Amino acid sequence: MSTSRVDVGDRLERHGATPARESTPSARAFVLEVSDLSVHYGVDANMVRAVHDVTLNVRRSTVLGVAGESGSGKSTLVYALTRLLRAPGVISGGQAILNVSSPDDPTQVTPVNLTTASERELRRVRWSHVSIVLQSALNALNPVRRIGREFDEVLRTHRRSLSRSDRRRRAAELLALVGLEPDRLDRFPHELSGGQRQRTMIALALALDPELVVMDEPTTALDVVTQREIITELAELRSRFGFAMIFITHDLSLLVELADEIVVMYAGSIVERANAGELYAAPRHPYTLGLLESFPPLHGERRELTGIAGSPPDLAAESVGCSFAPRCPFAMDRCRAESPPLAPLGDTGRSVACWLHTEHSVVPVPAPLARRWTVPSGPAAPGVSR
Amino acid sequence: MMTDVVAPVARLSARGLTRHFTTRVPGRILAAKRVTRAVEDVSLDLVAGRVTAVVGESGSGKSVLARMLARIVTPTSGELFLEGNAIALRARRTLDYAAQVQLVLQDPFASMNPVHPVRHSLERPLLIHGAHKAEVDELARSVLARVALDPPDRFLDRYPHELSGGQLQRVSIARALCVQPSVLLADEPISMLDVSVRLGILNLLKGLADHERLAILYITHDIASARYLADETIVMYAGQVVERSPGTVLIDEPAHPYTQLLIASVPDPSGAARVDRGAGESRPFVRAEEGCAFALRCPHATSRCRHECPPAFVIGEGHVSRCWLHADQAPASSDLATPGRQREGEATKT
Ligand SMILES: Nc1ncnc2c1ncn2[C@@H]1O[C@H](COP(=O)(O)OP(=O)(O)OP(=O)(O)O)[C@@H](O)[C@H]1O
Ligand SMILES: Nc1ncnc2c1ncn2[C@@H]1O[C@H](COP(=O)(O)OP(=O)(O)OP(=O)(O)O)[C@@H](O)[C@H]1O
Ligand code: SF4
Ligand code: SF4
Ligand SMILES: [Mg+2]
Ligand SMILES: [Mg+2]
């Protein structure tokens, strides 16, 4: 409805943001635009810099994968940009703009600054425009409430026109989308398996047909067969409803299959960003290479793998230079003195934060980080070898 | 064949290991009893210097099997042999058995006592197993070095919360090793750990088998990690062994439809050799009441499958599949020879 759009715009004006009278091309192309977002936990000496100057865009109807080892700041990033961050977490800089499109006219887009939005605005966009499946989703359902009540609540607050029986019917439809029988609505969470609970959370996230769904490790606690089923379902749902997705996992091989574009995080920063197939076939950052080599392959010669030596840095300590330097097999003097910025890699459309790839680097790029890569036919066609 | 001259002696053997659980299902009128066949008729040999991998999805009975082998859970039926000697399963677990067969669990945070430093976790089992007070410090240091926690001084006096997950899992492996076991049972030792440290633990286990001749049981639902380590691979479904093979034959050439499903489910960025995905159209873990346990999910199921439980068929050297699709092959007469009884004339039948 156009009235509500004006409403959001008015409020944004008070916050100093400019509402788009006419949607800019970038607002139409990207559902989410995050720039220089930084988050820290706590203060003073114990301050943990969990997310540092993160900039990323999520193109409409595509999947952005976020990879990185434990503690790299993946969850903190999505908590911050959906404003679910709790104390002692603080957004210390940057912004996240959600480009909300009008249900009547998808070319009409209103930017909502999530970092400054009021609770009321947030309530308006959560569920309806952006929804999130949290990492702890397996325990996110209220144990003493039947599944049906969770759905009823979301539908009742956001779809006032629906009658009780309409809501029940809609809930059953949503469960059917993720392959669950309607009788599950009368069950308690503990009566469902882990996979069924995770499916329920996904159905709930899709209840109001959002433009962006954020999933934080939705399948990590599940076994591979269940994971495969859920991933397949998600892909189908996405092609049907056209929502964009941010998918977080430490399983880079899963992301390569699922995502269009991938960002790799290390110690709170993005160290590499590329098209999924390209990232897999031709990684440019030493950390990405290490992550890819941490998964034993299912095919080919059995050979010893070493993974990544050492452990991630203490984010509470002030660091100088590249945060990966202590573990990097290619580290140079410069790496220990200066921190490399995330910079475009020639005209490839990808970016990397590593001194090896700067134009004026005197050191030749090591062979594993200089693999050739040819453009595949599709936008994200994994499986391009060499 | 009787010429088992070089046949390695199994450190720990299981024959027909079975465990059923009876649970009460509260009904509207009467409480019904339900029997969960958690593990059914599993036989295996854990051999010095070799890694036996057991793969299966959640609920397939892997942990119950490991706990029976560790003698924490009493089998409903079946036999265990340690170094060829039959174990009296009704009797209490002896201290010697506990020292010989050690279990490492999935969650290192839950399995270490948070109020004690690492030193305590290592020295206590040493003292229980009869080490002298004077030597425990030295022994604790040497065992930390074996799991590559160097220098030991940096770790002995730390508390569990001061260690990373990977370091803590090394400590729990060290604790298992300090009593000099000959068999190590590792129940999903890497599934709770971060990607970057998983390989370190896998390489550690491999080293213990290769260089220290431990017999290792490696339990996982990640078939790719099994492929990385295994000298023998066993696939379990609903408590049964559905396929087994030497090395990783069954991963490279899966014969059983369930193994094919497992492999097709693994994220595979290279997209190579994708197996029939039809098998993936399944719903929650289900077990047919009669016939083949996998029949309700199997894309190849026939009416025979739904009524008759398939026996194991030999489809290659040491490669066995429990599936009617292989009915044209010879049935595996009895899985494995009974250890310790050969002298009494019961030689291997295969
Ligand atoms: N409430 C908190 N107080 C202090 N530090 C925190 C808090 N929550 C998270 N951190 C720290 O922030 C960093 C990033 O944590 P985050 O949970 O975002 O990582 P992650 O990439 O999601 O890891 P995982 O893969 O384990 O989920 C870590 O170093 C973590 O220890
Ligand atoms: N003490 C018990 N009482 C009743 N049933 C049990 C008990 N322990 C295990 N079971 C059942 O036995 C079956 C096998 O469980 P088990 O824990 O061995 O599975 P698993 O293969 O280790 O699974 P996961 O990968 O989730 O660890 C399950 O159906 C489980 O519910
Ligand atoms: S900047 Fe230097 S230390 Fe950092 S990843 Fe690149 S080569 Fe390694
Ligand atoms: S016996 Fe039948 S149902 Fe069972 S796995 Fe083989 S083909 Fe499938
Ligand atoms: Mg997280
Ligand atoms: Mg288990």
Side-chain angles (χ1 to χ4, degrees), chain B residues 11 107 109 128 179 226:
Chain B
R11 289 267 167 85
D107 185 355
F109 296 92
I128 290 174
V179 295

mmCIF file of all heavy atoms in Angstrom, chain B residues 11 107 109 128 179 226:
data_model
loop_
_atom_site.group_PDB
_atom_site.id
_atom_site.type_symbol
_atom_site.label_atom_id
_atom_site.label_comp_id
_atom_site.label_asym_id
_atom_site.label_seq_id
_atom_site.Cartn_x
_atom_site.Cartn_y
_atom_site.Cartn_z
ATOM 1 N N ARG B 11 42.430 -56.926 17.590
ATOM 2 C CA ARG B 11 42.544 -56.535 18.990
ATOM 3 C C ARG B 11 41.187 -56.709 19.678
ATOM 4 O O ARG B 11 41.086 -57.241 20.754
ATOM 5 C CB ARG B 11 42.967 -55.067 19.074
ATOM 6 C CG ARG B 11 44.389 -54.816 18.653
ATOM 7 C CD ARG B 11 45.278 -54.866 19.884
ATOM 8 N NE ARG B 11 46.691 -54.941 19.567
ATOM 9 C CZ ARG B 11 47.467 -53.886 19.317
ATOM 10 N NH1 ARG B 11 46.961 -52.677 19.303
ATOM 11 N NH2 ARG B 11 48.752 -54.043 19.101
ATOM 12 N N ASP B 107 31.595 -34.459 21.828
ATOM 13 C CA ASP B 107 31.626 -33.098 22.355
ATOM 14 C C ASP B 107 32.722 -32.941 23.400
ATOM 15 O O ASP B 107 32.545 -33.327 24.551
ATOM 16 C CB ASP B 107 30.266 -32.767 22.976
ATOM 17 C CG ASP B 107 30.197 -31.317 23.431
ATOM 18 O OD1 ASP B 107 31.230 -30.618 23.351
ATOM 19 O OD2 ASP B 107 29.114 -30.890 23.870
ATOM 20 N N PHE B 109 33.657 -30.415 24.958
ATOM 21 C CA PHE B 109 33.298 -29.500 26.040
ATOM 22 C C PHE B 109 32.497 -30.234 27.104
ATOM 23 O O PHE B 109 32.642 -29.986 28.288
ATOM 24 C CB PHE B 109 32.508 -28.307 25.500
ATOM 25 C CG PHE B 109 33.315 -27.468 24.576
ATOM 26 C CD1 PHE B 109 33.298 -27.699 23.210
ATOM 27 C CD2 PHE B 109 34.137 -26.467 25.067
ATOM 28 C CE1 PHE B 109 34.070 -26.939 22.348
ATOM 29 C CE2 PHE B 109 34.911 -25.696 24.216
ATOM 30 C CZ PHE B 109 34.883 -25.939 22.857
ATOM 31 N N ILE B 128 44.231 -44.050 38.739
ATOM 32 C CA ILE B 128 43.257 -45.135 38.846
ATOM 33 C C ILE B 128 43.826 -46.422 38.268
ATOM 34 O O ILE B 128 43.618 -47.506 38.775
ATOM 35 C CB ILE B 128 41.942 -44.756 38.111
ATOM 36 C CG1 ILE B 128 41.232 -43.648 38.876
ATOM 37 C CG2 ILE B 128 41.031 -45.968 37.960
ATOM 38 C CD1 ILE B 128 40.008 -43.101 38.171
ATOM 39 N N VAL B 179 46.301 -44.191 29.329
ATOM 40 C CA VAL B 179 46.319 -45.506 29.967
ATOM 41 C C VAL B 179 46.788 -46.600 29.004
ATOM 42 O O VAL B 179 46.609 -47.776 29.256
ATOM 43 C CB VAL B 179 44.950 -45.868 30.572
ATOM 44 C CG1 VAL B 179 44.624 -44.903 31.698
ATOM 45 C CG2 VAL B 179 43.845 -45.824 29.525
ATOM 46 N N ALA B 226 35.486 -40.307 6.267
ATOM 47 C CA ALA B 226 35.751 -41.748 6.343
ATOM 48 C C ALA B 226 36.685 -42.155 5.208
ATOM 49 O O ALA B 226 37.627 -42.924 5.391
ATOM 50 C CB ALA B 226 34.447 -42.536 6.257
#
